[in-house]
Amino acid sequence: MMISDLPRDMVEEVLCKLPMTSLRRARFTCKRWNNTLSKDWRFTRKYNGEAAKRKEFQVVMILEYKVYLMSVNLHNPSPSIEPIGKLHDAGVDIINVFHCQGLLLCVTKDGTRLVVWNPFTGQTRWIKPRDSYHRCDRYALGYENRNNYPLKVLRFVDDYDRNLKRQVREFEIFNLNSSSWKVVDFNPHWMIQYFYRGLSLKGNTYWFAENKVAPGKIGRVFLLCFNFTTESFGPRLLLPFHGRYGDTLTLSSVRKEQLAVLFQECAPAYTLKVWISSKVGPNAVSWNNVFLSVDMKPLIGFQFHCFAGSFFVDEKNKAVVVIDTTRGHPFTIRNMAYVLGENGYFKSVDLGDFAPMKCWPLVCSYLPSLVKF
């Protein structure tokens, strides 16, 4: 009997046990496996279900300019966050990544290239700029809520360029169906700081934003949503706290259905709080009571950095995992995961390697999908 003659049910049982990085290689050893399993949503659901049975879930991390798939298990007395494998090794360094529907939008280290990528199927698509990319570009990946779900990339910059000695304001959208850029005429009365990372949920992307105020003054922070169906920003959305420039503010998602927001005031108590939304949409959002509140001063004694501080939520264990670095001498700083829970629960997990000063560790939730583009 040849390997291609194995019953489909047996093949699925074997492949469901493999890490995703090994699954891609295994599929290509047999043409029939690749043709059927790469197009079968039933197998994808089964594959995700097997991971849930193992009481683990997967996240994507950027460490040392490389993109990794990580297995997370917080059910053990000692939490584990282990690399399953390197997802992208095309000879380029990645500085930022954005997740939407199982797809990743990756920004190269030099800021000159964009690639949309499905780690589950291996499909990639490099996106050429209409003119050129800018070092302070903000990006988002989303889709229209219509029958064919056309995928789109939002790119915008609204900053003073010291080299050009002028304000640079550009808003444009790339449609992956038509392979074309569309310029959007927009002059916002708010600003999105370059270190605020957008979060895609249900096809739309959410950001923290601030009022444009006079130099030396600090504007209040609020939430904005970019609607990829209408190709426009919606109204200001309420946050469950009063944030300002200098605080650590980060967005994450829960179950692909709700937003989670992390807030750590810059001074004086360093108390960290996380909320999960009860209802979320482009024009309105409501919040549940505080999911978790932790006094960080006796635990680590510092504020999570606004460049880092990305996080994910484990609802079952009532835990939050924040990805940041240690503090100290530049040559001793390491990438770390800080696991926070109820009743003072705190663990730190060394993610290995010294952290480059310009490559902050990042994490985003991930669920494999068969979405094509």
Side-chain angles (χ1 to χ4, degrees), residues 275-293:
W275 290 264
I276 298 175
S277 64
S278 56
K279 181 181 179 181
V280 61
N283 299 313
V285 61
S286 56
W287 301 93
N288 293 310
N289 294 330
V290 176
F291 174 77
L292 189 67
S293 179

Side-chain angles (χ1 to χ4, degrees), residues 332-353:
T332 65
I333 293 176
R334 299 182 67 81
N335 296 312
M336 298 290 289
Y338 299 94
V339 186
L340 313 172
E342 293 183 298
N343 303 318
Y345 178 86
F346 173 78
K347 296 284 185 180
S348 58
V349 180
D350 192 330
L351 299 175
D353 296 325

Side-chain angles (χ1 to χ4, degrees), residues 116 125 127 141 151-153 174-180 373:
V116 178
R125 173 91 170 270
I127 300 176
L141 180 64
L151 287 162
K152 298 179 180 180
V153 174
F174 184 82
N175 188 312
L176 274 78
N177 279 10
S178 62
S179 298
S180 61
F373 47 90

Side-chain angles (χ1 to χ4, degrees), residues 231-247:
E231 296 185 345
S232 63
F233 285 93
R236 300 183 184 194
L237 304 176
L238 294 176
L239 287 168
F241 56 85
H242 294 292
R244 59 182 179 175
Y245 181 86
D247 295 333

Side-chain angles (χ1 to χ4, degrees), residues 196-225:
Y196 289 150
R197 299 181 69 250
L199 188 283
S200 293
L201 185 71
K202 301 177 184 178
N204 301 313
T205 299
Y206 296 82
W207 271 286
F208 296 114
E210 304 169 14
N211 284 325
K212 289 182 177 179
V213 295
K217 293 187 177 181
I218 299 176
R220 284 291 184 182
V221 176
F222 51 91
L223 197 63
L224 276 181
C225 175

Side-chain angles (χ1 to χ4, degrees), residues 8-43:
R8 182 187 176 91
D9 289 346
M10 182 181 296
V11 171
E12 289 187 1
E13 286 298 322
V14 172
L15 295 182
C16 279
K17 309 296 184 184
L18 295 178
M20 196 178 69
T21 49
S22 300
L23 177 65
R24 290 206 312 267
R25 293 192 293 269
R27 279 209 333 250
F28 291 113
T29 62
C30 176
K31 185 176 181 181
R32 184 170 69 87
W33 292 4
N34 188 45
N35 289 339
T36 56
L37 299 184
S38 63
K39 301 176 183 178
D40 191 344
W41 287 93
R42 184 176 64 87
F43 171 75

Side-chain angles (χ1 to χ4, degrees), residues 76-100:
N76 299 325
S78 296
S80 64
I81 302 176
E82 301 289 341
I84 297 174
K86 189 183 297 183
L87 286 180
H88 192 268
D89 193 13
V92 295
D93 290 336
I94 302 298
I95 191 67
N96 215 341
V97 64
F98 306 92
H99 173 257
C100 177

Side-chain angles (χ1 to χ4, degrees), residues 352-365:
D353 296 325
F354 294 114
M357 293 298 292
K358 295 183 179 180
C359 182
W360 295 97
L362 294 173
V363 66
C364 61
S365 58

